[in-house]
Amino acid sequence: MSRENAGDLTFSEQYNGPDPLLDAARALSHENGLASVSQTTASTLTLLARLLRPVAAVEVGTGAGTSTLALLRGMPNAGILTSIDTNSTAQAAARDLIDMAGIRHSRLRLMSGRAEDVLQRLAPGAYDMVFVDSEPTNLERMIEPALRLLDTHGLLVIHQTLLKGGVADPVDRSPRTQAARGLLNRLAGQERLERVLLPIGQGLLMLQKTLR
């Protein structure tokens, strides 16, 4: 990453913060070896949810709750977020974070299990937004189950798609980078999907089914 880009990212993080609750969640994530979304990514998720106004949304990768809180802050008061993770301890921390934020307990539904299995159990076409934050090596098998959940105008948002310059660096041949690169290439060839890739945080890819 160039010095200029690194400076832009640092400035953006400072400009889009501070956020005491999210900062505390990130500190907790770091202590427990969990990944968390950046402040700019969290702010983007809140804005997207505020614009889309999802009544029902799904999150893959609860972690300690940074993206969970970001999404719930943007969703309407009646909106319910279903959040999936294999780490029940981290999900408990996310629940505490949501409680501290003063968000109603009933607005967050936590489900424990492998994402690809849990996604298959959810109702098709019943969700307005799906956010997936998973290791790039796992993303491929989640795309179709996630798209299946979306209604006609639903939005799929995928994190960890640029890996801080790794995907754009031809020298980087690590498994996770090649997985992210391969996923982007395959999705680029699908005419049934509208897409936009944003260099925010670890990279945000937004997908929507083509209406034609």
Side-chain angles (χ1 to χ4, degrees):
M1 183 183 298
S2 70
R3 181 182 301 176
E4 291 81 5
N5 287 343
D8 287 345
L9 289 175
T10 300
F11 184 87
S12 296
E13 286 293 291
Q14 294 171 346
Y15 186 83
N16 292 322
D19 190 314
L21 276 177
L22 288 180
D23 290 343
R26 286 191 198 92
L28 180 63
S29 299
H30 181 72
E31 289 172 8
N32 290 278
L34 300 170
S36 59
V37 299
S38 69
Q39 180 59 44
T40 302
T41 302
S43 298
T44 301
L45 291 174
T46 298
L47 180 59
L48 286 172
R50 192 167 290 142
L51 293 171
L52 194 61
R53 298 188 60 77
V55 174
V58 173
E59 173 188 46
V60 174
T62 313
T66 49
S67 53
T68 311
L69 177 57
L71 289 165
L72 284 168
R73 279 174 167 175
M75 293 171 66
N77 289 333
I80 296 175
L81 176 64
T82 298
S83 189
I84 305 165
D85 207 305
T86 57
N87 189 332
S88 56
T89 301
Q91 284 192 321
R95 174 70 75 186
D96 290 342
L97 178 69
I98 299 308
D99 288 342
M100 285 189 289
I103 295 173
R104 283 199 326 276
H105 204 268
S106 59
R107 292 188 56 205
L108 176 61
R109 179 172 66 150
L110 294 172
M111 299 185 72
S112 180
R114 293 194 333 141
E116 51 267 45
D117 297 332
V118 178
L119 290 173
Q120 295 288 357
R121 301 204 304 266
L122 300 179
Y127 297 87
D128 311 296
M129 184 177 184
V130 176
F131 173 63
V132 177
D133 187 6
S134 181
E135 272 297 303
T137 51
N138 298 328
L139 285 175
E140 186 73 50
R141 57 182 178 268
M142 296 184 196
I143 299 299
E144 289 304 323
L147 287 171
R148 165 185 164 275
L149 300 182
L150 293 173
D151 63 14
T152 306
H153 300 282
L155 184 68
L156 172 58
V157 183
I158 306 171
H159 192 222
Q160 299 195 66
T161 48
L162 288 174
L163 303 177
K164 292 186 176 179
V167 171
D169 182 1
V171 177
D172 190 335
R173 307 291 294 174
S174 67
R176 65 197 305 265
T177 299
Q178 291 197 74
R181 194 179 289 136
L183 177 67
L184 290 173
N185 288 337
R186 282 186 287 279
L187 290 173
Q190 296 196 22
E191 294 184 357
R192 67 189 178 113
L193 297 174
E194 302 285 352
R195 67 185 188 281
V196 61
L197 179 61
L198 300 175
I200 295 172
Q202 293 271 358
L204 285 180
L205 175 66
M206 291 184 282
L207 300 173
Q208 193 173 47
K209 298 172 186 176
T210 304
L211 301 177
R212 59 187 176 195

